[in-house]
């Protein structure tokens, strides 16, 4: 017989979660290292957008087509590096995202880099606020309530959210699209859901794996809307950025398929790298390792285990396909945000911002239900602490 937790125990577990989220900043300060230069990722997007502003069809990826481009700095004689140096930056990493991100930020290049970064940070804070409001409404919470306020506090304290905003990362926008897609699906707005995920796919290709989920659900309307949405965005990019940039962006994605052994890369491939090395690599160490030839069988093992995990999750879903209510199906979409992150060769720690919809909905369900199995409550607590704080990351690095 499964054991169930009392409400007081559930409150205690949630208190542990809240305290761990609060402690992250203290642990980062006293046991870890300072964050990288603020807005460092945004600056890559900004200067690439400036190049697109001047010449939308000019080659965007020439310096990123050889080898694994992750963690590499742009050559000093490259156009993006020259623009960054003229603005006072000593170095800038390669632009690796598909063209839509640079296209989106073209209007921002009218502002100086630091003012544009501040504007981007403000937009990201607003996106998080909007997502919390959508999740609260989807879960039946009143916007002006203690529960929604606590959800908002925990979301802003969730370490990937803080890290993504500090670095100016695109993952907050992807989090927003994933939240819209999930909530819209729960409300029966299938077309809106599909279009949100179609747009997210053009920013980061991994949402395309949701096609397998909706095939299992036999939701043909969602699939049609998704394909049409992807095609519409692709047609715009083809006209605006040109075929060469689209083709080269897919080549860059393929070159990143070997993964990265850095500590902040959280996925199956990253874990296998750590096991192979005997430790999670520092960023400088990882930068050196990925430029060296890697054994074919090791890379094949990474891809095979990732594919096996994805297929296992899809098999579990297929076996229970007739038991899901519309609300359950929306929760599945939220859960597959974690699945696609785990099977992706590169899933940086800040990318787990997209875990927020799943964790928020599960905690709200747990408190709304009359009984919660102990194993589920414990797993939910550990999962939230693991992804939402730096307890384990910094604990493994501390010299104790």
């Amino acid at each position: 017989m499964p054991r169930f937790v009392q409400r007081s125990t559930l409150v205690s577990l949630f208190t542990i979660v809240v305290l761990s989220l609060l402690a992250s900043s203290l642990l980062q300060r006293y046991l870890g290292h300072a964050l990288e230069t603020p807005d460092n990722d945004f600056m890559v997007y900004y200067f690439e957008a400036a190049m697109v502003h001047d010449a939308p069809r000019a080659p965007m990826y020439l310096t990123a087509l050889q080898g694994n481009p992750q963690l590499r700095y742009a050559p000093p004689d490259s156009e993006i590096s020259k623009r960054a140096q003229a603005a006072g930056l000593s170095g800038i990493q390669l632009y690796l995202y598909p063209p839509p991100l640079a296209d989106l930020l073209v209007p921002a290049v009218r502002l100086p880099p630091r003012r544009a970064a501040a504007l981007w940070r403000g937009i990201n804070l607003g996106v998080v606020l909007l997502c919390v409001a959508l999740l609260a409404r989807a879960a039946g919470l009143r916007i002006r309530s203690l529960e929604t306020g606590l959800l908002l506090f925990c979301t802003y304290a969730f370490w990937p959210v803080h890290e993504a905003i500090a670095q100016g990362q695109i993952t907050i926008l992807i989090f927003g699209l994933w939240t819209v897609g999930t909530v819209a699906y729960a409300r029966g707005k299938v077309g809106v859901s599909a279009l949100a995920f179609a747009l997210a796919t053009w920013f980061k290709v991994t949402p395309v794996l949701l096609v397998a989920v909706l095939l299992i659900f036999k939701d043909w309307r969602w699939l049609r809307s998704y394909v049409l949405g992807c095609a519409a965005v692709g047609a715009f990019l083809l006209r605006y950025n040109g075929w060469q940039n689209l083709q080269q962006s897919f080549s860059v994605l393929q070159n990143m398929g070997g993964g990265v052994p850095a500590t902040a890369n959280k996925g199956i491939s990253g874990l296998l790298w750590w096991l192979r090395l005997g430790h999670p690599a520092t960023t400088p160490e990882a930068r050196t390792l990925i430029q060296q030839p890697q054994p074919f069988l090791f890379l094949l093992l990474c891809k095979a285990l990732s594919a096996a995990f994805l297929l296992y999750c899809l098999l579990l879903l297929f076996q229970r396909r007739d038991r899901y209510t519309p609300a359950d199906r929306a929760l599945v979409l939220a859960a597959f945000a974690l699945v696609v992150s785990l099977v992706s060769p590169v899933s940086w720690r800040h990318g787990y911002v997209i875990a927020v919809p799943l964790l928020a909905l599960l905690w709200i369900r747990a408190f709304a239900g009359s009984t919660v199995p102990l194993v589920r409550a414990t797993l939910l607590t550990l999962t939230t602490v693991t992804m939402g704080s730096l307890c384990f990351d910094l604990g493994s690095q501390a010299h104790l």
Side-chain angles (χ1 to χ4, degrees):
M1 291 290 293
R3 293 182 58 190
F4 295 94
V5 297
Q6 297 179 349
R7 189 172 184 81
S8 59
T9 304
L10 191 61
V11 170
S12 299
L13 292 174
F14 186 71
T15 302
I16 292 173
V17 168
V18 174
L19 292 176
S20 72
L21 298 183
L22 279 174
S24 279
S25 59
L26 296 177
L27 289 171
Q28 176 71 5
R29 173 64 181 83
Y30 295 109
L31 292 180
H33 307 280
L35 277 174
E36 297 181 30
T37 305
D39 307 313
N40 61 319
D41 287 328
F42 173 79
M43 291 303 170
V44 179
Y45 314 154
Y46 174 87
F47 289 109
E48 191 67 40
M51 295 168 57
V52 172
H53 175 270
D54 295 343
R57 288 174 171 261
M60 302 172 66
Y61 305 98
L62 290 180
T63 56
L65 294 175
Q66 301 298 323
N68 192 331
Q70 284 285 338
L71 303 178
R72 276 168 46 191
Y73 284 89
D77 59 347
S78 63
E79 178 64 20
I80 190 173
S81 183
K82 290 178 180 178
R83 290 174 182 256
Q85 291 173 24
L89 275 68
S90 57
I92 192 165
Q93 293 190 358
L94 296 173
Y95 179 80
L96 306 179
Y97 281 91
L101 176 55
D103 297 341
L104 176 69
L105 292 175
V106 165
V109 302
R110 299 178 182 178
L111 298 173
R114 293 302 175 188
R115 288 183 62 186
L119 175 62
W120 180 247
R121 196 179 305 118
I123 292 173
N124 284 340
L125 289 168
V127 169
V128 174
L129 179 62
L130 176 62
C131 289
V132 170
L134 288 174
L135 290 169
R137 291 292 298 273
L141 301 180
R142 291 184 295 108
I143 297 299
R144 296 183 178 181
S145 65
L146 176 62
E147 293 84 355
T148 301
L150 190 57
L151 174 60
L152 181 64
F153 169 80
C154 289
T155 301
Y156 278 120
F158 199 70
W159 183 261
V161 172
H162 168 74
E163 192 171 40
I165 293 175
Q167 296 182 4
Q169 251 288 330
I170 182 61
T171 47
I172 295 294
L173 180 58
I174 297 173
F175 159 54
L177 291 171
W178 206 290
T179 301
V180 170
T182 301
V183 173
Y185 196 86
R187 294 182 175 180
K189 299 179 180 179
V190 176
V192 175
S193 172
L195 292 177
F197 283 117
L199 188 56
T201 302
W202 276 106
F203 286 116
K204 188 173 183 179
V205 71
T206 48
V208 74
L209 296 177
L210 288 179
V211 169
V213 174
L214 276 299
L215 282 173
I216 292 175
F217 289 158
K218 296 182 180 180
D219 196 330
W220 310 120
R221 182 185 168 194
W222 189 98
L223 291 166
R224 284 195 301 268
S225 299
Y226 177 81
V227 171
L228 289 174
C230 286
V233 177
F236 168 80
L237 298 176
L238 187 62
R239 181 177 179 82
Y240 187 68
N241 300 110
W243 168 254
Q244 181 186 34
N245 282 322
L246 286 181
Q247 187 272 328
Q248 289 182 351
S249 71
F250 286 112
S251 297
V252 170
L253 289 175
Q254 292 175 352
N255 292 341
M256 293 191 293
V260 179
T263 306
N265 180 29
K266 310 291 188 180
I268 293 175
S269 294
L271 177 61
L272 292 174
W273 266 102
W274 303 349
L275 292 174
R276 179 169 176 253
L277 295 174
H279 65 281
T282 62
T283 299
E285 184 182 2
R287 184 179 288 116
T288 301
L289 285 170
I290 61 177
Q291 300 309 317
Q292 301 172 357
Q294 303 301 325
F296 172 77
L297 290 179
F298 171 73
L299 297 181
L300 183 62
L301 176 64
C302 291
K303 295 181 184 299
L305 289 182
S306 297
F309 178 75
L310 174 62
L311 291 175
Y312 177 69
C313 292
L314 292 172
L315 177 61
L316 293 177
L317 184 63
F318 180 79
Q319 291 174 339
R320 297 164 173 80
R321 62 191 182 280
D322 297 326
R323 306 179 192 175
Y324 291 112
T325 65
D328 291 334
R329 291 187 175 192
L331 199 61
V332 169
L333 295 182
F336 264 79
L338 295 186
V339 175
V340 299
S341 296
L342 288 169
V343 302
S344 175
V346 181
S347 291
W348 297 113
R349 181 172 57 200
H350 52 66
Y352 282 87
V353 169
I354 59 174
V356 170
L358 175 67
L359 297 175
L361 294 175
L362 288 178
W363 275 109
I364 292 171
R365 276 197 174 193
F367 278 106
S370 56
T371 57
V372 181
L374 175 62
V375 64
R376 292 188 181 184
T378 304
L379 181 59
L380 181 57
T381 302
L382 290 174
T383 303
T384 310
V385 170
T386 300
M387 289 187 293
S389 72
L390 293 177
C391 295
F392 295 107
D393 281 49
L394 298 180
S396 66
Q397 299 173 26
H399 299 288
L400 301 178

